[in-house]
Amino acid sequence: MELDALPESVPYLRIPSNMPAFKLSGRHDAVKIGIVFKGAPTHENDEARSLPSLEVLAPLFVRSDLEFYSLQKGPGAEEVVDLAQRLPNFHDVGTTVSTMMETARAIEALDLVLTVDTSVAHVAAAMGKPTWMLLPASADWRWHYVREDSPWYPSMKLFRHPFCGGWSEVVMRV
């Protein structure tokens, strides 16, 4: 099958209509951005796909018109707790969700998800949520080599780490 022949069936994941909306704290007039900056350390390419620290995204957190909601679970969660205590526009949602359905409910309440290549990226994009994914220079095959979009997910935008340079260059493009 050619890529342009892929069916446009997104969103194909939806929250059941009888489920209550996820309540987010923070300013209601701000753009609400979900964050995932690390994946599972057992993943074969995790060292390349995960950000070394949440501080890599610090240039974004100074924006007062944005509210950030960490969906981070597992590694990196301790950084999230610290940042949520220090910044008024940064919130830890990861501690309040324990299932993928709860995570999807949180995603539904957001305006955008900014993530590395994790299951959250796939769930958000399958829900049709605007998803900006940070990719390492040696990314998984499904993201191709030079594309800035995804044929699998029309709402996804790809931000690639250069072979020379660092994550700070990627964050500046974001």
Side-chain angles (χ1 to χ4, degrees):
M1 179 188 300
E2 297 296 320
L3 289 178
D4 60 355
L6 288 172
E8 296 208 17
S9 58
V10 176
Y12 58 85
L13 288 182
R14 293 174 183 80
I15 303 299
S17 59
N18 63 344
M19 293 194 82
F22 193 90
K23 301 292 185 205
L24 295 173
S25 58
R27 292 185 18 240
H28 70 279
D29 62 334
V31 176
K32 296 163 186 59
I33 302 173
I35 299 283
V36 178
F37 69 103
K38 286 190 178 288
T42 55
H43 185 279
E44 65 185 19
N45 196 31
D46 191 61
E47 188 173 330
R49 75 173 178 155
S50 288
L51 300 182
S53 167
L54 185 56
E55 287 300 315
V56 170
L57 300 174
L60 304 176
F61 302 147
V62 300
R63 297 273 310 263
S64 61
D65 58 332
L66 305 176
E67 291 281 327
F68 296 92
Y69 299 88
S70 173
L71 302 168
Q72 188 67 44
K73 303 294 278 181
E78 66 287 344
E79 289 182 67
V80 170
V81 170
D82 177 58
L83 199 59
Q85 292 172 349
R86 291 189 288 126
L87 296 179
N89 66 334
F90 192 90
H91 313 276
D92 185 3
V93 175
T95 57
T96 66
V97 297
S98 56
T99 67
M100 195 54 82
M101 177 60 82
E102 290 170 345
T103 301
R105 284 181 53 236
I107 289 168
E108 185 176 51
L110 298 167
D111 298 312
L112 171 76
V113 174
L114 176 63
T115 181
V116 295
D117 188 2
T118 66
S119 59
V120 171
H122 294 275
V123 170
M127 292 173 66
K129 183 64 61 178
T131 306
W132 291 4
M133 189 160 58
L134 307 173
L135 287 175
S138 57
D140 188 80
W141 65 268
R142 78 190 87 207
W143 310 121
H144 302 263
Y145 294 108
V146 295
R147 292 183 75 120
E148 293 181 359
D149 66 338
S150 168
W152 317 107
Y153 303 119
S155 66
M156 185 176 276
K157 182 172 172 114
L158 307 176
F159 292 86
R160 295 177 182 279
H161 186 294
F163 281 102
C164 297
W167 283 112
S168 59
E169 180 183 326
V170 177
V171 172
M172 291 307 295
R173 283 187 274 135
V174 167

